[in-house]
Amino acid sequence: MIARPLVVVLLLVAAVANAADWRASLPSGWFVAVEAKDLATLEAGAAKLFAPWGRKVPPIGKSLATMLPGVEITERPWGFALAPGKQGSLSPVAYLPTDDFDALCDALNADRADSVAVANVSGYDLTLVDLDGWVQVGLLDGLAAADEGDGPSEPAAWSVDGGVRLVVSRAGQHRLAAGLKQRRQGQLAAGQGRIGPWRWPRGFDEYLDQLAPYAPLANELASWNEPLEVAVTMDDGAVQLTSEISQAVTPIDSATAANYSAPDGAISHAVLPYGLPEQFIDLAIAWMRCRPDEIDAPEYPQPQWDDVAEAYRELLSRYRSVAMLRRLPAKGEPVATNDVATFAWDGDAASLGDTLQLTTLRWNQLIDAAEARMPLRLEMAPLEDAEGWRISTDLFKGFGLDRSPEVQAVFDRYYGGDVLAIDITRRDESNEWLVSYGEPAMELLKSDPAKATADRPVLANRPVLIEGELRLDRWFAWKSMIEAIDEQGTIGFRPRKPMAESPAATLRVTGGDSLSIDSMLPIATYENAVTHWRSNEKPKRP
């Protein structure tokens, strides 16, 4: 038996005993809460996702039945949370759906006092609290004591449905943003601020290290001061992921907004049929600030970054509809100039030119002040044969390379030359402009004039802010083209087999009283993608 006063436990859990729902018993100041509706369904879904990798899911249900003989697990949802622990750490809390508190205490040989018990499991001292339908399980020395006057904890209120649901509280988002910012400042102070390629983390701490550069994005989301919900549902045909945050997002309507259609053979396609809401602009600028690796710098310098952000905001705020397309390059075409976009502009051509010129000027001022290993300075000039402008950069200068036939050959295969040029071309007498690498293909991303002032995309009285799709089979085919250039001449390189043709993954973002993101990945597409990814693995020896 455990020689430890139960009075400590009683003080910590008295406020949550006999709760009607496990969510009402969340510890004060909780950060993350997770709910799984049914363990058997969760295990079956996980098994389907693990199977293409040749892995098996640990039999959690069977393990619990062996460890807790005689304890009946009910069909209520399972719960899990992370809450403030001692010395600033996070402490896990689980909610086991059972009415057999007596049998659970007996199975674990627990010290008990009424509805509270302490048990030692695999060397860990755990608290068990009977919540009338659930048993709360936590580390005995894990949770920090609540301050007097804290009152009851805010329950996790679900707005989205799914087999597994997660909510990050306001406190959780602020803690994440502050933690990433502190970690990023430490990286910069230690001279380790340059962002390398993403690699599979070896532990949670390394995962946070790789997330640290995205502190500005986390801070922007936390500033909304609303809980973030995520729900995952899996059936025989697809995995559905829904995210929602209770932030009112209203699109900017305009007579110049339009709908667009993508041509056949697109890798990905996205449409934003309205003007960009202010929150989207804030998120876009926060994302740009997270990517100083685009110029191979540890961070963007101040005050130059603020000047660039101001120019970006002016540019983005005057878009009235946007469509983006990534197409699969044809044989012999450059592999890295396959993006095309179009947008409607709120203003005349002169105002667009002035805004682009200001953005280009401020970008170059930022480059001059940054510790950039790739100082990609921009030049802007009018187009000769069309209305519009060309913004370009010299790749040899930008990458700091000496001119040589070998490097030129790589630039040719990637970019079609040693100057990377983006053309902004007026389509016709309208305020629609096409953005392309070099001479544009005007037939791409044409808008439907009949839909410019009617048939606005609305779903269940919520405006559709973004709608898009991704063909993973074509995306992997494109990546194989890039890999063939990168690995040319590499001894032992094994190219992967082409991925089987597969249905598209889809994305829809809706606004209104809250922001909702719905994405869908067909199971067949997932299985084909894993098979493709593993196709260059060497067979295991028997």
Side-chain angles (χ1 to χ4, degrees):
M1 306 299 282
I2 302 171
R4 188 180 296 273
L6 285 176
V7 66
V8 177
V9 181
L10 290 169
L11 289 173
L12 287 173
V13 303
V16 303
N18 298 319
D21 186 307
W22 74 269
R23 292 174 297 168
S25 70
L26 285 167
S28 179
W30 62 275
F31 296 136
V32 178
V34 182
E35 180 182 82
K37 284 189 174 180
D38 178 68
L39 182 60
T41 303
L42 177 63
E43 287 185 327
K48 185 170 289 190
L49 294 178
F50 275 60
W53 296 98
R55 303 292 180 87
K56 293 184 178 180
V57 176
I60 300 175
K62 290 183 179 180
S63 299
L64 283 174
T66 301
M67 187 174 71
L68 305 174
V71 179
E72 181 182 357
I73 304 299
T74 67
E75 295 184 358
R76 302 185 189 97
W78 294 65
F80 177 82
L82 289 174
K86 296 180 178 179
Q87 298 179 344
S89 62
L90 290 177
S91 185
V93 183
Y95 296 86
L96 184 69
T98 182
D99 297 314
D100 286 349
F101 187 66
D102 292 343
L104 179 64
C105 291
D106 291 341
L108 297 178
N109 193 26
D111 289 340
R112 180 177 174 184
D114 296 326
S115 62
V116 180
V118 176
N120 185 278
V121 178
S122 300
Y124 291 95
D125 290 347
L126 304 179
T127 62
L128 311 174
V129 184
D130 187 6
L131 300 177
D132 190 18
W134 286 267
V135 173
Q136 177 181 286
V137 182
L139 295 173
L140 177 62
D141 295 324
L143 295 178
D147 294 333
E148 288 188 26
D150 270 357
S153 175
E154 175 188 5
W158 311 109
S159 300
V160 295
D161 194 15
V164 177
R165 302 189 291 186
L166 175 148
V167 59
V168 184
S169 68
R170 297 177 179 89
Q173 292 189 64
H174 285 292
R175 178 189 173 101
L176 175 63
L180 292 181
K181 179 179 180 180
Q182 183 179 33
R183 189 173 287 256
R184 183 60 179 161
Q185 289 173 340
Q187 291 174 349
L188 293 169
Q192 300 172 350
R194 297 189 187 274
I195 304 171
W198 178 268
R199 61 186 183 278
W200 192 259
R202 290 172 291 184
F204 186 68
D205 198 62
E206 188 172 298
Y207 179 71
L208 291 178
D209 280 341
Q210 297 194 61
L211 283 181
Y214 299 93
L217 187 62
N219 186 68
E220 181 58 40
L221 282 172
S223 71
W224 294 10
N225 204 35
E226 294 290 348
L228 172 65
E229 299 179 54
V230 179
V232 181
T233 301
M234 183 175 176
D235 55 30
D236 292 336
V239 177
Q240 305 273 353
L241 179 67
T242 300
S243 303
E244 185 164 312
I245 187 166
S246 298
Q247 171 81 3
V249 178
T250 305
I252 298 176
D253 207 351
S254 169
T256 58
N259 289 327
Y260 303 86
S261 57
D264 294 335
I267 297 173
S268 60
H269 172 230
V271 175
L272 291 77
Y274 298 92
L276 298 181
E278 183 179 349
Q279 295 95 329
F280 280 23
I281 296 174
D282 292 338
L283 289 174
I285 292 175
W287 171 259
M288 294 174 191
R289 190 174 185 182
C290 297
R291 300 306 307 271
D293 55 317
E294 298 286 354
I295 58 172
D296 198 3
E299 61 181 332
Y300 286 127
Q302 290 286 17
Q304 289 81 7
W305 166 254
D306 286 343
D307 293 338
V308 169
E310 182 183 38
Y312 279 152
R313 186 175 298 279
E314 172 65 16
L315 184 66
L316 296 175
S317 66
R318 297 181 70 176
Y319 287 164
R320 286 300 174 264
S321 62
V322 180
M324 296 170 284
L325 167 71
R326 175 165 288 172
R327 59 185 183 83
L328 191 62
K331 186 176 181 180
E333 286 187 340
V335 298
T337 58
N338 55 331
D339 291 329
V340 183
T342 190
F343 63 91
W345 177 254
D346 182 24
D348 57 18
S351 66
L352 174 59
D354 290 344
T355 306
L356 291 172
Q357 186 69 61
L358 177 64
T359 305
T360 301
L361 173 65
R362 290 187 174 178
W363 171 263
N364 288 336
Q365 290 172 344
L366 179 143
I367 289 294
D368 292 340
E371 300 175 19
R373 293 176 180 172
M374 294 192 305
L376 295 170
R377 291 181 55 83
L378 303 178
E379 295 182 5
M380 180 174 166
L383 294 175
E384 295 181 357
D385 301 324
E387 184 176 7
W389 305 268
R390 170 167 291 182
I391 298 176
S392 61
T393 186
D394 185 306
L395 295 174
F396 275 106
K397 291 181 180 178
F399 285 99
L401 298 173
D402 295 330
R403 294 186 179 274
S404 69
E406 294 79 11
V407 176
Q408 182 69 57
V410 173
F411 283 158
D412 289 345
R413 295 184 67 182
Y414 263 99
Y415 309 108
D418 55 24
V419 174
L420 183 62
I422 298 176
D423 287 359
I424 299 96
T425 311
R426 193 168 192 165
R427 280 188 180 275
D428 45 43
E429 294 304 316
S430 70
N431 273 335
E432 289 185 22
W433 299 79
L434 191 69
V435 183
S436 60
Y437 289 95
E439 187 174 343
M442 285 298 186
E443 74 278 5
L444 294 177
L445 292 177
K446 282 190 174 181
S447 65
D448 185 347
K451 295 183 178 181
T453 57
D455 299 329
R456 301 295 184 153
V458 174
L459 182 67
N461 297 320
R462 296 170 62 97
V464 178
L465 305 177
I466 304 176
E467 194 153 25
E469 65 176 34
L470 168 66
R471 284 288 299 270
L472 274 175
D473 51 335
R474 296 171 185 166
W475 187 82
F476 276 120
W478 173 55
K479 284 297 183 180
S480 293
M481 295 178 181
I482 297 174
E483 192 176 51
I485 298 174
D486 293 342
E487 301 294 338
Q488 185 176 7
T490 301
I491 298 175
F493 169 61
R494 294 166 58 93
R496 294 180 174 88
K497 296 178 181 179
M499 178 178 164
E501 186 172 342
S502 304
T506 61
L507 170 73
R508 179 183 287 126
V509 180
T510 55
D513 293 337
S514 62
L515 180 66
S516 181
I517 305 172
D518 297 280
S519 56
M520 182 276 295
L521 175 65
I523 293 296
T525 301
Y526 169 78
E527 292 174 343
N528 289 341
V530 176
T531 299
H532 160 76
W533 184 257
R534 301 185 67 199
S535 64
N536 70 341
E537 293 181 358
K538 294 181 179 179
K540 295 181 179 179
R541 295 181 179 179

